[in-house]
Amino acid sequence: MKLLTVAIPCYNSQEYMKHAIESVLVGGEDIEILIVNDGSKDDTAKIADEFEVAYPGIVRAIHQENGGHGEAVNAGLRNAKGLYYKVLDSDDWLDRDSLLRVMNKLRQMVKEGKMVDMFLANYVYEKPSEHKHKVIRYEGVFPESQIFGWSDIKRFKISQNILMHSVIYRTQMLHDCGLELPKHTFYVDNIFVYVPLPNVKTMYYMDVNLYRYYIGREDQSVNEDVMISRIDQQIKVNKIMIDAYDLTKIRNKKLKDYMVKYLAMMMTVSSIFLIKEGSEESLTKRAELWNYLKDASKGMFRLVNHQVLSRPMQIRGKAGRKMLVWAYSISRKIYGFN
């Protein structure tokens, strides 16, 4: 049994996947690296096979027909032999020293019989083209150096969200909650971090900058123009999240508050890009999305609409739309997230 499985979904990733893989190899024999070749048309498969030969017992190459990022994550989870599971995108990387510290703590917890459902660490926006380097930490939110539950957390800032980059999940917990991401769908990382949350009972936070999140490729899914062109994918993810839970029925208040905040953020992001696209069709889709939430649960609609991020939705006409776009632009300049 391995301690940690790191799945690396790869699609036409020959130019940058080696950096991602090599950043994980420092974990040694306790780590399992699953390179999931998602129907690539370049040398991704060849590179994956070469790493498997070079690092037997550590690296496994998985080849499948193209199913999208979500299906690559699913394939990694189906094949994972590690007690814990993490996803690393092929153009990102893990910090060497931080990974070793995380591995040591996970190893200690397993030895002591104190495994947690979710292990958290910081992530870093890396935007070399603009010399930007922004660390997202969870100071003031999570207790440090101790196991804790949802009742022990404090208030999240707008910039502090639990993302795929910051989480390591206990593998069996993911299986137990039945996590299955949709095929041929972008932005499923939001489902990956959102759906398991009510099943998370114990957590641990280490204040290290583990995940380095590269920003800047023109074809990257978080590129603004790409996001606008794929807005229907974003809407689909929003609806899956809406359908996952009636948040009014989540008993733990702090868990409920966080999940409402996250859903509000996702609804707001979709609304912003529909507004920026600007056509009547897009504005209609925006209205339909909010109506979908209201039809699912009027109580959940009220909770989401009460969030700071969502309040401009209550301002009718161009004024509300301009305020949303303005707030997004300011956030983008501060955090450099696309």
Side-chain angles (χ1 to χ4, degrees), residues 137-166:
R137 299 176 63 237
Y138 299 97
E139 75 278 12
V141 179
F142 299 136
E144 293 184 38
S145 304
Q146 66 183 73
I147 295 173
F148 60 91
W150 289 109
S151 296
D152 301 310
I153 69 172
K154 296 181 180 178
R155 190 175 184 84
F156 287 82
K157 298 176 184 177
I158 290 178
S159 63
Q160 292 172 314
N161 291 291
I162 301 170
L163 299 188
M164 185 184 75
H165 319 308
S166 55

Side-chain angles (χ1 to χ4, degrees), residues 275 283 286 312 315 317-326:
I275 290 168
L283 296 180
R286 172 187 169 226
I315 304 174
K318 292 183 179 180
R321 296 199 291 269
K322 286 183 178 179
M323 186 178 295
L324 273 171
V325 173
W326 175 81

Side-chain angles (χ1 to χ4, degrees), residues 8 10 12-22 35 42-45 47-48 51 90-92:
I8 307 180
C10 295
N12 293 347
S13 303
Q14 65 177 24
E15 300 300 327
Y16 36 80
M17 61 188 287
K18 290 181 181 179
H19 186 204
I21 299 164
E22 289 167 354
I35 308 172
D42 61 1
D43 284 338
T44 293
I47 294 169
F51 271 99
S90 60
D91 53 352
D92 300 332

Side-chain angles (χ1 to χ4, degrees), residues 150-318:
W150 289 109
S151 296
D152 301 310
I153 69 172
K154 296 181 180 178
R155 190 175 184 84
F156 287 82
K157 298 176 184 177
I158 290 178
S159 63
Q160 292 172 314
N161 291 291
I162 301 170
L163 299 188
M164 185 184 75
H165 319 308
S166 55
V167 300
I168 299 174
Y169 280 133
R170 186 168 60 85
T171 307
Q172 188 58 51
M173 188 273 295
L174 292 179
H175 289 304
D176 291 344
C177 74
L179 181 67
E180 181 81 13
L181 303 182
K183 294 182 179 181
H184 301 295
T185 305
F186 290 94
Y187 312 116
V188 294
D189 52 315
N190 296 291
I191 301 170
F192 180 81
V193 295
Y194 182 84
V195 168
L197 292 180
N199 295 273
V200 171
K201 307 304 179 187
T202 54
M203 294 170 273
Y204 189 96
Y205 167 57
M206 181 177 285
D207 186 12
V208 294
N209 302 337
L210 175 63
Y211 195 106
R212 318 312 280 244
Y213 179 23
Y214 177 80
I215 299 290
R217 288 201 341 265
E218 290 185 0
D219 64 336
Q220 200 167 12
S221 62
V222 294
N223 176 282
E224 182 175 311
D225 292 336
V226 174
M227 290 186 77
I228 291 174
S229 70
R230 294 173 176 167
I231 191 61
D232 287 341
Q233 302 281 303
Q234 186 86 0
I235 292 171
K236 178 180 178 180
V237 168
N238 279 189
K239 290 181 176 180
I240 290 172
M241 293 170 66
I242 290 168
D243 292 340
Y245 302 103
D246 182 346
L247 298 182
T248 64
K249 297 180 180 178
I250 299 291
R251 292 185 178 181
N252 187 290
K253 184 179 185 302
K254 291 186 177 180
L255 170 59
K256 178 173 71 175
D257 288 347
Y258 176 73
M259 293 184 73
V260 168
K261 171 187 180 291
Y262 196 90
L263 182 58
M265 177 190 71
M266 291 296 297
M267 296 287 289
T268 302
V269 168
S270 294
S271 297
I272 287 169
F273 287 119
L274 287 165
I275 290 168
K276 288 176 78 70
E277 199 283 330
S279 66
E280 285 299 320
E281 180 184 5
S282 290
L283 296 180
T284 298
K285 287 180 179 179
R286 172 187 169 226
E288 288 174 346
L289 177 59
W290 285 90
N291 285 333
Y292 188 90
L293 174 61
K294 184 183 289 186
D295 290 342
S297 168
K298 288 185 173 62
M300 191 158 66
F301 174 83
R302 286 191 292 271
L303 287 173
V304 171
N305 218 16
H306 184 68
Q307 291 290 302
V308 172
L309 285 170
S310 303
R311 285 175 190 169
M313 294 294 171
Q314 302 170 24
I315 304 174
R316 297 186 180 276
K318 292 183 179 180

